[in-house]
Amino acid sequence: MSDIPPDLDWIRAAPEDATGPGPWIELAFGEGDGEDDPEAPVYIRETSDPDNVVTTNRRKWDAFVLGVQAGEFDHFVEGVEGFEPTARQPEAQVRPD
């Protein structure tokens, strides 16, 4: 964990009304070469094991979030209590000229 900056602002990914210790996922966005640097680090950890931190970058994190929003990972949680499929946009129809 020596490569992890000590002054990160961790954001807990939990419902607003959540109480208790979780475990929850927490995220922290590191500094890069500018506000929109796609290679800026993103740190991910669980509240139950805060010393175990996974690092990715902003470009990959943004792609993951867009995939979640698009329902690309819904098949991983089918059958899980409380799961509701993502409302997907209909695919564009290509018309022949």
Side-chain angles (χ1 to χ4, degrees):
M1 190 158 146
S2 61
D3 294 355
I4 309 301
D7 59 346
L8 291 171
D9 182 21
W10 290 95
I11 304 163
R12 188 168 291 178
E16 290 182 21
D17 60 346
T19 58
W24 306 107
I25 298 293
E26 293 181 313
L27 303 168
F29 297 93
E31 294 186 24
D33 291 334
E35 188 175 316
D36 295 324
D37 179 6
E39 300 305 314
V42 176
Y43 304 97
I44 307 165
R45 70 182 185 185
E46 285 188 50
T47 55
S48 62
D49 188 9
D51 291 333
N52 187 9
V53 178
V54 175
T55 306
T56 189
N57 64 36
R58 189 61 191 244
R59 177 179 41 83
K60 293 175 185 176
W61 175 254
D62 290 346
F64 172 73
V65 170
L66 290 172
V68 169
Q69 290 173 337
E72 294 176 16
F73 304 102
D74 286 359
H75 63 283
F76 287 114
V77 291
E78 287 176 1
V80 173
E81 184 178 335
F83 168 71
E84 294 181 25
T86 304
R88 295 187 176 138
Q89 297 294 324
E91 293 192 26
Q93 297 292 321
V94 178
R95 296 182 189 173
D97 291 337

Coordinates of all heavy atoms in Angstrom, one line a residue:
M1 N 0.8 -1.2 0.0 CA 0.0 0.0 0.0 C 0.9 1.3 0.0 O 0.4 2.4 0.1 CB -0.9 0.0 1.2 CG -2.0 1.0 1.2 SD -3.3 0.6 2.2 CE -3.8 2.2 2.8
S2 N 2.2 1.1 -0.2 CA 3.0 2.3 -0.1 C 2.9 3.2 -1.3 O 3.2 4.4 -1.2 CB 4.5 1.8 0.0 OG 4.8 1.0 -1.2
D3 N 2.4 2.7 -2.4 CA 2.1 3.6 -3.6 C 0.8 4.3 -3.5 O 0.6 5.2 -4.4 CB 2.1 2.7 -4.9 CG 3.5 2.1 -5.2 OD1 4.4 2.4 -4.4 OD2 3.6 1.3 -6.1
I4 N 0.0 4.1 -2.5 CA -1.3 4.8 -2.4 C -1.1 6.1 -1.6 O -0.6 6.0 -0.5 CB -2.3 3.8 -1.7 CG1 -2.3 2.4 -2.3 CG2 -3.6 4.5 -1.6 CD1 -2.7 2.4 -3.7
P5 N -1.5 7.2 -2.2 CA -1.4 8.5 -1.5 C -2.1 8.4 -0.2 O -3.3 7.9 -0.1 CB -2.0 9.5 -2.5 CG -1.9 8.9 -3.8 CD -2.0 7.4 -3.6
P6 N -1.6 8.9 0.9 CA -2.2 8.9 2.2 C -3.4 9.8 2.4 O -4.2 9.6 3.3 CB -1.1 9.2 3.2 CG -0.2 10.1 2.4 CD -0.3 9.5 1.0
D7 N -3.5 10.8 1.5 CA -4.5 11.9 1.7 C -5.7 11.8 0.7 O -6.3 12.8 0.4 CB -3.9 13.2 1.6 CG -3.2 13.5 0.3 OD1 -3.0 12.5 -0.5 OD2 -2.9 14.6 -0.1
L8 N -6.0 10.6 0.3 CA -7.1 10.4 -0.7 C -8.5 10.7 0.0 O -8.7 10.4 1.2 CB -7.1 9.0 -1.2 CG -6.0 8.7 -2.2 CD1 -6.0 7.2 -2.5 CD2 -6.0 9.5 -3.4
D9 N -9.4 11.2 -0.8 CA -10.8 11.4 -0.3 C -11.6 10.2 -0.8 O -12.0 10.1 -1.9 CB -11.3 12.7 -0.9 CG -12.7 13.0 -0.5 OD1 -13.1 12.5 0.6 OD2 -13.4 13.8 -1.1
W10 N -11.8 9.2 0.1 CA -12.6 8.0 -0.2 C -14.1 8.3 -0.3 O -14.6 8.9 0.6 CB -12.2 6.9 0.8 CG -10.8 6.4 0.6 CD1 -9.7 6.8 1.3 CD2 -10.3 5.5 -0.3 NE1 -8.6 6.2 0.9 CE2 -8.9 5.3 -0.1 CE3 -10.9 4.7 -1.3 CZ2 -8.2 4.5 -0.9 CZ3 -10.1 3.8 -2.1 CH2 -8.8 3.7 -1.8
I11 N -14.7 7.8 -1.3 CA -16.2 7.9 -1.5 C -16.8 6.5 -1.4 O -16.4 5.6 -2.1 CB -16.5 8.5 -2.9 CG1 -15.8 9.8 -3.1 CG2 -18.0 8.6 -3.1 CD1 -15.7 10.3 -4.5
R12 N -17.7 6.4 -0.4 CA -18.4 5.1 -0.2 C -19.5 4.9 -1.2 O -20.4 5.8 -1.3 CB -18.9 5.0 1.2 CG -19.4 3.6 1.6 CD -19.6 3.5 3.1 NE -18.3 3.5 3.7 CZ -18.1 3.4 5.0 NH1 -19.1 3.4 5.8 NH2 -16.9 3.4 5.5
A13 N -19.5 3.8 -1.9 CA -20.6 3.5 -2.8 C -21.6 2.6 -2.1 O -21.6 1.4 -2.1 CB -20.0 2.7 -4.0
A14 N -22.5 3.3 -1.4 CA -23.6 2.7 -0.6 C -24.8 3.5 -0.8 O -24.8 4.7 -1.0 CB -23.2 2.6 0.8
P15 N -26.0 2.9 -0.6 CA -27.2 3.6 -0.7 C -27.2 4.7 0.4 O -26.6 4.6 1.5 CB -28.3 2.6 -0.4 CG -27.7 1.3 -0.7 CD -26.2 1.4 -0.4
E16 N -27.9 5.8 0.1 CA -27.9 7.0 1.0 C -28.4 6.6 2.4 O -28.0 7.1 3.4 CB -28.8 8.1 0.5 CG -28.1 8.8 -0.7 CD -29.0 9.9 -1.2 OE1 -29.8 10.5 -0.5 OE2 -28.8 10.3 -2.4
D17 N -29.4 5.7 2.5 CA -30.0 5.3 3.8 C -29.2 4.1 4.4 O -29.7 3.6 5.4 CB -31.4 5.0 3.6 CG -31.7 3.8 2.6 OD1 -30.8 3.5 1.9 OD2 -32.8 3.3 2.6
A18 N -28.1 3.7 3.9 CA -27.4 2.6 4.4 C -26.8 2.9 5.8 O -26.3 4.0 6.0 CB -26.3 2.1 3.5
T19 N -26.9 1.9 6.7 CA -26.3 2.0 8.0 C -25.4 0.8 8.2 O -25.6 -0.2 7.5 CB -27.4 2.1 9.1 OG1 -28.2 0.9 9.0 CG2 -28.2 3.3 8.9
G20 N -24.6 0.9 9.2 CA -23.7 -0.2 9.5 C -22.4 -0.2 8.7 O -22.2 0.6 7.8
P21 N -21.6 -1.2 9.0 CA -20.2 -1.2 8.5 C -20.1 -1.7 7.1 O -19.1 -1.7 6.5 CB -19.5 -2.1 9.5 CG -20.5 -3.0 9.9 CD -21.8 -2.2 10.0
G22 N -21.2 -2.2 6.5 CA -21.1 -2.8 5.2 C -20.8 -4.3 5.2 O -21.5 -5.0 5.9
P23 N -19.9 -4.8 4.4 CA -18.9 -4.1 3.7 C -19.4 -3.4 2.4 O -20.3 -3.8 1.8 CB -17.9 -5.2 3.3 CG -18.8 -6.4 3.2 CD -19.9 -6.2 4.2
W24 N -18.7 -2.2 2.2 CA -19.1 -1.4 1.0 C -17.8 -1.2 0.2 O -16.7 -1.4 0.6 CB -19.6 0.0 1.4 CG -20.7 -0.1 2.4 CD1 -20.6 0.2 3.7 CD2 -22.0 -0.5 2.1 NE1 -21.9 0.0 4.3 CE2 -22.7 -0.4 3.3 CE3 -22.7 -0.9 1.0 CZ2 -24.1 -0.7 3.4 CZ3 -24.1 -1.2 1.1 CH2 -24.7 -1.1 2.3
I25 N -18.0 -0.9 -1.1 CA -16.9 -0.5 -2.0 C -16.6 1.0 -1.8 O -17.6 1.8 -1.6 CB -17.3 -0.8 -3.4 CG1 -17.5 -2.3 -3.7 CG2 -16.2 -0.2 -4.4 CD1 -16.3 -3.1 -3.5
E26 N -15.4 1.4 -1.7 CA -15.0 2.8 -1.7 C -14.1 3.1 -2.8 O -13.3 2.3 -3.3 CB -14.3 3.1 -0.4 CG -15.2 2.9 0.9 CD -14.4 3.3 2.1 OE1 -13.3 2.8 2.3 OE2 -15.0 4.0 2.9
L27 N -14.2 4.3 -3.4 CA -13.4 4.8 -4.5 C -12.7 6.1 -4.1 O -13.2 6.9 -3.3 CB -14.3 5.1 -5.7 CG -15.2 4.1 -6.2 CD1 -16.2 4.6 -7.2 CD2 -14.4 3.0 -6.9
A28 N -11.5 6.3 -4.7 CA -10.8 7.5 -4.5 C -10.2 7.8 -5.9 O -9.7 7.0 -6.6 CB -9.8 7.4 -3.5
F29 N -10.3 9.1 -6.3 CA -9.8 9.5 -7.6 C -8.5 10.3 -7.4 O -8.4 11.3 -6.7 CB -10.8 10.4 -8.3 CG -12.0 9.6 -8.6 CD1 -13.1 9.6 -7.8 CD2 -12.1 8.9 -9.8 CE1 -14.3 8.9 -8.1 CE2 -13.3 8.1 -10.1 CZ -14.3 8.1 -9.2
G30 N -7.4 9.8 -7.9 CA -6.1 10.4 -7.8 C -5.9 11.5 -8.8 O -6.7 11.7 -9.7
E31 N -4.8 12.2 -8.6 CA -4.5 13.4 -9.4 C -3.7 12.9 -10.6 O -2.9 12.0 -10.5 CB -3.7 14.4 -8.7 CG -4.5 15.0 -7.6 CD -3.7 16.2 -6.9 OE1 -2.8 16.7 -7.5 OE2 -4.1 16.5 -5.8
G32 N -4.0 13.5 -11.8 CA -3.2 13.2 -13.0 C -2.6 14.5 -13.5 O -2.3 15.4 -12.8
D33 N -2.5 14.5 -14.8 CA -1.9 15.6 -15.5 C -2.9 16.7 -15.9 O -2.8 17.3 -17.0 CB -1.1 15.2 -16.7 CG 0.1 14.4 -16.4 OD1 0.7 14.6 -15.3 OD2 0.6 13.6 -17.2
G34 N -4.0 16.8 -15.2 CA -5.1 17.7 -15.5 C -6.4 17.1 -15.0 O -6.5 16.0 -14.7
E35 N -7.4 18.0 -15.0 CA -8.7 17.6 -14.5 C -9.3 16.4 -15.2 O -9.9 15.6 -14.6 CB -9.6 18.8 -14.5 CG -10.9 18.6 -13.8 CD -11.8 19.8 -13.8 OE1 -11.3 20.9 -13.5 OE2 -13.0 19.7 -14.1
D36 N -9.1 16.3 -16.5 CA -9.7 15.3 -17.3 C -8.7 14.3 -17.8 O -8.9 13.7 -18.9 CB -10.5 15.9 -18.5 CG -11.7 16.7 -18.0 OD1 -12.3 16.3 -17.0 OD2 -12.0 17.7 -18.6
D37 N -7.6 14.1 -17.1 CA -6.6 13.1 -17.5 C -7.1 11.7 -17.5 O -7.4 11.2 -16.4 CB -5.4 13.3 -16.6 CG -4.3 12.3 -17.0 OD1 -4.3 11.6 -18.0 OD2 -3.3 12.3 -16.2
P38 N -7.2 11.0 -18.7 CA -7.8 9.7 -18.7 C -6.9 8.6 -18.0 O -7.3 7.6 -17.7 CB -7.9 9.4 -20.2 CG -7.0 10.3 -20.9 CD -6.9 11.5 -20.0
E39 N -5.6 9.0 -17.8 CA -4.7 8.1 -17.2 C -4.6 8.3 -15.7 O -3.8 7.6 -15.0 CB -3.3 8.1 -17.8 CG -3.4 7.8 -19.3 CD -4.0 6.4 -19.6 OE1 -3.7 5.4 -18.9 OE2 -4.9 6.3 -20.5
A40 N -5.3 9.3 -15.1 CA -5.3 9.6 -13.7 C -5.7 8.3 -12.9 O -6.6 7.6 -13.4 CB -6.2 10.7 -13.4
P41 N -5.1 8.0 -11.8 CA -5.4 6.8 -11.1 C -6.8 6.8 -10.4 O -7.2 7.9 -9.9 CB -4.3 6.7 -10.1 CG -3.8 8.0 -9.9 CD -4.0 8.7 -11.2
V42 N -7.4 5.7 -10.3 CA -8.6 5.5 -9.6 C -8.3 4.3 -8.6 O -7.9 3.3 -9.1 CB -9.8 5.1 -10.5 CG1 -11.1 4.8 -9.7 CG2 -10.1 6.3 -11.5
Y43 N -8.6 4.5 -7.4 CA -8.3 3.5 -6.3 C -9.6 2.9 -5.8 O -10.6 3.6 -5.6 CB -7.6 4.1 -5.2 CG -6.3 4.8 -5.6 CD1 -6.3 6.2 -5.8 CD2 -5.1 4.1 -5.8 CE1 -5.1 6.8 -6.2 CE2 -4.0 4.7 -6.2 CZ -4.0 6.1 -6.4 OH -2.8 6.7 -6.8
I44 N -9.7 1.6 -5.6 CA -10.9 0.9 -5.2 C -10.5 0.0 -4.1 O -9.5 -0.7 -4.1 CB -11.4 0.0 -6.4 CG1 -11.6 0.9 -7.6 CG2 -12.8 -0.6 -6.0 CD1 -11.9 0.1 -8.9
R45 N -11.4 0.0 -3.0 CA -11.1 -0.9 -1.9 C -12.5 -1.3 -1.3 O -13.5 -0.7 -1.6 CB -10.2 -0.3 -0.8 CG -10.9 0.9 -0.1 CD -10.0 1.6 0.9 NE -10.7 2.6 1.6 CZ -10.1 3.4 2.5 NH1 -8.8 3.3 2.7 NH2 -10.8 4.3 3.1
E46 N -12.5 -2.3 -0.4 CA -13.6 -2.6 0.4 C -13.4 -2.1 1.8 O -12.3 -2.1 2.4 CB -13.8 -4.1 0.5 CG -14.3 -4.8 -0.8 CD -14.6 -6.2 -0.6 OE1 -15.3 -6.6 0.4 OE2 -14.1 -7.0 -1.4
T47 N -14.5 -1.7 2.5 CA -14.4 -1.2 3.8 C -14.0 -2.3 4.8 O -13.3 -2.0 5.8 CB -15.8 -0.6 4.3 OG1 -16.8 -1.6 4.2 CG2 -16.2 0.6 3.6
S48 N -14.2 -3.5 4.5 CA -13.8 -4.6 5.3 C -12.3 -5.0 5.2 O -11.8 -5.7 6.1 CB -14.7 -5.9 5.0 OG -14.4 -6.3 3.7
D49 N -11.7 -4.5 4.2 CA -10.2 -4.7 4.0 C -9.6 -3.5 3.4 O -9.1 -3.5 2.2 CB -10.1 -6.0 3.1 CG -8.6 -6.4 3.0 OD1 -7.7 -5.9 3.8 OD2 -8.3 -7.3 2.2
P50 N -9.5 -2.4 4.1 CA -9.0 -1.1 3.5 C -7.6 -1.1 3.1 O -7.2 -0.2 2.3 CB -9.3 -0.1 4.6 CG -9.3 -0.9 5.9 CD -9.9 -2.2 5.5
D51 N -6.8 -2.1 3.5 CA -5.4 -2.1 3.1 C -5.2 -2.8 1.7 O -4.1 -2.7 1.1 CB -4.5 -2.8 4.1 CG -4.4 -2.0 5.4 OD1 -4.5 -0.8 5.3 OD2 -4.2 -2.6 6.5
N52 N -6.2 -3.5 1.2 CA -6.2 -4.1 0.0 C -6.8 -3.2 -1.1 O -8.0 -3.1 -1.2 CB -6.9 -5.5 0.0 CG -6.8 -6.3 -1.2 OD1 -6.0 -6.0 -2.1 ND2 -7.6 -7.3 -1.3
V53 N -6.0 -2.5 -1.8 CA -6.4 -1.5 -2.8 C -6.1 -1.9 -4.2 O -5.0 -2.3 -4.5 CB -5.8 -0.1 -2.5 CG1 -6.2 1.0 -3.5 CG2 -6.1 0.3 -1.0
V54 N -7.1 -1.8 -5.1 CA -6.9 -2.1 -6.5 C -6.8 -0.7 -7.2 O -7.6 0.2 -6.9 CB -8.1 -2.9 -7.0 CG1 -8.0 -3.1 -8.5 CG2 -8.2 -4.2 -6.3
T55 N -5.9 -0.6 -8.1 CA -5.7 0.6 -8.9 C -6.0 0.4 -10.4 O -5.6 -0.6 -10.9 CB -4.3 1.2 -8.7 OG1 -4.0 1.3 -7.3 CG2 -4.1 2.5 -9.4
T56 N -6.8 1.3 -10.9 CA -7.0 1.4 -12.4 C -6.8 2.8 -12.8 O -6.2 3.6 -12.1 CB -8.4 0.8 -12.7 OG1 -8.5 0.6 -14.2 CG2 -9.5 1.6 -12.2
N57 N -7.3 3.2 -14.0 CA -7.2 4.6 -14.4 C -8.6 5.1 -14.8 O -9.6 4.3 -14.9 CB -6.2 4.8 -15.5 CG -6.6 4.1 -16.8 OD1 -7.8 4.0 -17.2 ND2 -5.6 3.6 -17.5
R58 N -8.7 6.4 -14.9 CA -10.0 7.0 -15.2 C -10.7 6.5 -16.5 O -11.9 6.4 -16.5 CB -9.8 8.6 -15.2 CG -11.1 9.3 -15.2 CD -11.9 9.0 -13.9 NE -13.2 9.5 -14.0 CZ -13.6 10.5 -13.2 NH1 -12.9 11.0 -12.3 NH2 -14.9 10.9 -13.3
R59 N -9.9 6.3 -17.5 CA -10.4 5.9 -18.8 C -11.1 4.5 -18.6 O -12.2 4.3 -19.1 CB -9.3 5.8 -19.8 CG -9.7 5.2 -21.2 CD -8.5 5.2 -22.1 NE -7.3 4.8 -21.6 CZ -6.9 3.5 -21.4 NH1 -7.7 2.5 -21.7 NH2 -5.7 3.2 -20.9
K60 N -10.5 3.6 -17.9 CA -11.0 2.3 -17.7 C -12.2 2.3 -16.8 O -13.2 1.6 -16.9 CB -10.0 1.3 -17.2 CG -8.9 1.0 -18.2 CD -7.8 0.2 -17.6 CE -6.6 0.0 -18.5 NZ -5.5 -0.8 -17.9
W61 N -12.1 3.2 -15.7 CA -13.2 3.3 -14.8 C -14.5 3.8 -15.5 O -15.6 3.3 -15.3 CB -12.8 4.2 -13.6 CG -14.0 4.4 -12.7 CD1 -14.7 5.6 -12.6 CD2 -14.6 3.5 -11.8 NE1 -15.7 5.4 -11.7 CE2 -15.7 4.1 -11.2 CE3 -14.4 2.1 -11.5 CZ2 -16.5 3.5 -10.3 CZ3 -15.2 1.5 -10.6 CH2 -16.2 2.2 -10.0
D62 N -14.3 4.9 -16.3 CA -15.4 5.5 -17.0 C -16.0 4.5 -18.0 O -17.3 4.4 -18.1 CB -15.0 6.7 -17.8 CG -14.6 7.9 -16.9 OD1 -15.0 7.9 -15.7 OD2 -14.0 8.9 -17.4
A63 N -15.2 3.6 -18.6 CA -15.8 2.6 -19.5 C -16.6 1.6 -18.7 O -17.6 1.1 -19.2 CB -14.6 1.9 -20.3
F64 N -16.1 1.2 -17.6 CA -16.8 0.3 -16.7 C -18.2 0.8 -16.3 O -19.2 0.2 -16.4 CB -16.0 -0.1 -15.5 CG -16.7 -0.9 -14.5 CD1 -17.0 -2.2 -14.7 CD2 -17.1 -0.3 -13.3 CE1 -17.7 -3.0 -13.8 CE2 -17.8 -1.1 -12.3 CZ -18.1 -2.4 -12.6
V65 N -18.2 2.1 -15.8 CA -19.4 2.7 -15.4 C -20.4 2.8 -16.5 O -21.6 2.5 -16.4 CB -19.1 4.1 -14.8 CG1 -20.4 4.9 -14.5 CG2 -18.4 4.0 -13.5
L66 N -20.0 3.2 -17.7 CA -20.9 3.2 -18.9 C -21.4 1.8 -19.2 O -22.6 1.7 -19.6 CB -20.1 3.8 -20.1 CG -19.8 5.3 -20.0 CD1 -18.9 5.7 -21.2 CD2 -21.1 6.1 -20.0
G67 N -20.6 0.8 -19.1 CA -21.0 -0.5 -19.3 C -22.1 -1.0 -18.3 O -23.1 -1.6 -18.7
V68 N -21.9 -0.6 -17.1 CA -22.9 -0.9 -16.0 C -24.2 -0.2 -16.4 O -25.3 -0.8 -16.3 CB -22.4 -0.5 -14.6 CG1 -23.5 -0.6 -13.6 CG2 -21.3 -1.4 -14.2
Q69 N -24.1 1.1 -16.7 CA -25.3 1.8 -17.0 C -26.1 1.3 -18.2 O -27.3 1.3 -18.3 CB -25.0 3.3 -17.3 CG -24.6 4.0 -16.0 CD -24.1 5.4 -16.3 OE1 -23.6 5.8 -17.4 NE2 -24.1 6.3 -15.2
A70 N -25.3 0.7 -19.2 CA -25.9 0.1 -20.4 C -26.4 -1.3 -20.2 O -27.0 -1.9 -21.1 CB -24.9 0.1 -21.5
G71 N -26.2 -1.9 -19.0 CA -26.7 -3.2 -18.7 C -25.8 -4.3 -19.2 O -26.2 -5.5 -19.2
E72 N -24.6 -4.0 -19.6 CA -23.7 -5.0 -20.1 C -23.3 -6.1 -19.1 O -22.8 -7.1 -19.5 CB -22.4 -4.3 -20.7 CG -22.7 -3.4 -21.9 CD -21.4 -2.7 -22.4 OE1 -20.3 -3.1 -22.0 OE2 -21.6 -1.8 -23.1
F73 N -23.5 -5.8 -17.8 CA -23.1 -6.8 -16.8 C -24.3 -7.4 -16.1 O -24.1 -8.1 -15.1 CB -22.1 -6.1 -15.8 CG -20.9 -5.5 -16.5 CD1 -20.8 -4.1 -16.7 CD2 -19.9 -6.3 -16.9 CE1 -19.7 -3.6 -17.3 CE2 -18.7 -5.7 -17.5 CZ -18.7 -4.4 -17.7
D74 N -25.5 -7.1 -16.6 CA -26.7 -7.6 -15.9 C -26.7 -9.1 -15.8 O -27.2 -9.7 -14.8 CB -27.9 -7.2 -16.6 CG -28.3 -5.7 -16.5 OD1 -27.5 -5.0 -15.7 OD2 -29.3 -5.3 -17.0
H75 N -26.1 -9.8 -16.7 CA -26.1 -11.3 -16.7 C -25.4 -11.9 -15.5 O -25.6 -13.0 -15.1 CB -25.6 -11.9 -18.0 CG -24.1 -11.6 -18.2 ND1 -23.7 -10.3 -18.7 CD2 -23.0 -12.3 -18.1 CE1 -22.4 -10.3 -18.9 NE2 -22.0 -11.5 -18.5
F76 N -24.5 -11.1 -14.9 CA -23.7 -11.5 -13.7 C -24.6 -11.6 -12.5 O -24.3 -12.3 -11.5 CB -22.5 -10.6 -13.4 CG -21.4 -10.8 -14.4 CD1 -21.1 -9.8 -15.2 CD2 -20.7 -12.0 -14.5 CE1 -20.0 -9.9 -16.1 CE2 -19.6 -12.1 -15.4 CZ -19.3 -11.1 -16.2
V77 N -25.7 -10.9 -12.4 CA -26.5 -10.8 -11.2 C -28.0 -11.3 -11.5 O -28.8 -11.1 -10.6 CB -26.5 -9.4 -10.6 CG1 -25.2 -9.0 -10.1 CG2 -27.0 -8.3 -11.6
E78 N -28.2 -11.9 -12.6 CA -29.6 -12.5 -12.8 C -29.9 -13.5 -11.7 O -29.0 -14.3 -11.4 CB -29.7 -13.1 -14.2 CG -29.7 -12.1 -15.3 CD -29.7 -12.7 -16.7 OE1 -29.7 -14.0 -16.8 OE2 -29.7 -12.0 -17.7
G79 N -31.0 -13.4 -11.2 CA -31.4 -14.4 -10.1 C -31.1 -13.9 -8.7 O -31.5 -14.5 -7.7
V80 N -30.4 -12.8 -8.6 CA -30.0 -12.2 -7.3 C -31.2 -11.4 -6.8 O -31.8 -10.7 -7.5 CB -28.8 -11.3 -7.4 CG1 -28.6 -10.6 -6.1 CG2 -27.6 -12.1 -7.8
E81 N -31.6 -11.7 -5.5 CA -32.8 -11.0 -5.0 C -32.6 -9.5 -5.1 O -31.6 -8.9 -4.7 CB -32.9 -11.4 -3.5 CG -34.2 -10.8 -2.8 CD -34.3 -11.3 -1.4 OE1 -33.8 -12.3 -1.0 OE2 -34.9 -10.5 -0.6
G82 N -33.7 -8.8 -5.5 CA -33.7 -7.4 -5.7 C -33.1 -6.8 -7.0 O -33.2 -5.7 -7.3
F83 N -32.6 -7.7 -7.9 CA -32.1 -7.3 -9.1 C -33.2 -7.0 -10.1 O -34.1 -7.7 -10.3 CB -31.2 -8.4 -9.8 CG -30.9 -8.1 -11.2 CD1 -30.0 -7.1 -11.5 CD2 -31.4 -8.9 -12.2 CE1 -29.7 -6.9 -12.8 CE2 -31.1 -8.6 -13.5 CZ -30.2 -7.6 -13.8
E84 N -33.1 -5.8 -10.7 CA -34.0 -5.5 -11.8 C -33.1 -5.1 -13.0 O -32.2 -4.3 -12.9 CB -34.8 -4.2 -11.4 CG -35.8 -4.5 -10.3 CD -36.6 -3.3 -9.9 OE1 -36.8 -2.5 -10.8 OE2 -37.0 -3.3 -8.7
P85 N -33.4 -5.7 -14.2 CA -32.6 -5.5 -15.4 C -32.6 -4.0 -15.7 O -33.6 -3.3 -15.5 CB -33.3 -6.3 -16.5 CG -34.1 -7.3 -15.7 CD -34.5 -6.7 -14.4
T86 N -31.5 -3.6 -16.3 CA -31.4 -2.2 -16.8 C -32.3 -2.0 -18.0 O -32.3 -2.9 -18.9 CB -29.9 -2.0 -17.2 OG1 -29.1 -2.2 -16.1 CG2 -29.7 -0.5 -17.7
A87 N -33.0 -0.9 -18.1 CA -33.8 -0.6 -19.3 C -32.8 -0.2 -20.4 O -32.2 0.8 -20.3 CB -34.7 0.5 -19.0
R88 N -32.7 -1.0 -21.4 CA -31.8 -0.8 -22.5 C -32.4 0.0 -23.6 O -33.6 -0.2 -23.8 CB -31.3 -2.1 -23.0 CG -30.4 -2.9 -22.0 CD -29.8 -4.1 -22.6 NE -28.9 -4.7 -21.7 CZ -28.9 -6.0 -21.5 NH1 -29.6 -6.8 -22.2 NH2 -28.1 -6.5 -20.6
Q89 N -31.7 0.8 -24.2 CA -32.1 1.6 -25.3 C -32.2 0.6 -26.5 O -31.3 -0.2 -26.7 CB -31.2 2.7 -25.7 CG -31.1 3.7 -24.5 CD -32.4 4.5 -24.3 OE1 -33.1 4.8 -25.3 NE2 -32.7 4.8 -23.1
P90 N -33.3 0.8 -27.4 CA -33.3 -0.1 -28.6 C -32.1 0.2 -29.5 O -31.7 1.4 -29.6 CB -34.6 0.3 -29.2 CG -35.1 1.5 -28.6 CD -34.4 1.7 -27.3
E91 N -31.6 -0.8 -30.1 CA -30.5 -0.6 -31.0 C -30.9 0.1 -32.2 O -32.0 0.0 -32.7 CB -29.8 -1.9 -31.4 CG -29.2 -2.6 -30.2 CD -28.3 -3.8 -30.6 OE1 -27.8 -3.8 -31.7 OE2 -28.2 -4.7 -29.7
A92 N -30.0 1.0 -32.8 CA -30.3 1.7 -34.0 C -30.6 0.8 -35.1 O -29.8 -0.2 -35.3 CB -29.2 2.7 -34.3
Q93 N -31.6 1.1 -35.9 CA -31.9 0.3 -37.1 C -31.1 0.9 -38.3 O -31.1 2.1 -38.5 CB -33.4 0.4 -37.4 CG -34.2 -0.3 -36.3 CD -34.0 -1.8 -36.2 OE1 -33.8 -2.4 -37.2 NE2 -33.9 -2.3 -35.0
V94 N -30.4 0.1 -39.0 CA -29.7 0.6 -40.2 C -30.6 0.3 -41.4 O -31.0 -0.8 -41.6 CB -28.4 -0.2 -40.3 CG1 -27.6 0.3 -41.6 CG2 -27.5 0.0 -39.1
R95 N -30.9 1.4 -42.1 CA -31.7 1.3 -43.3 C -30.9 1.2 -44.5 O -30.0 2.0 -44.7 CB -32.7 2.5 -43.4 CG -33.6 2.6 -42.3 CD -34.5 3.8 -42.5 NE -35.3 4.0 -41.3 CZ -36.1 5.0 -41.1 NH1 -36.2 5.9 -42.0 NH2 -36.8 5.1 -40.0
P96 N -31.2 0.3 -45.4 CA -30.5 0.2 -46.7 C -30.8 1.5 -47.5 O -31.9 1.9 -47.5 CB -30.9 -1.1 -47.3 CG -32.2 -1.4 -46.7 CD -32.2 -0.8 -45.3
D97 N -29.8 2.0 -48.2 CA -30.1 3.1 -49.1 C -30.8 2.8 -50.4 O -30.8 1.8 -50.9 CB -28.8 3.8 -49.5 CG -28.1 4.5 -48.3 OD1 -28.9 4.8 -47.3 OD2 -26.9 4.7 -48.3

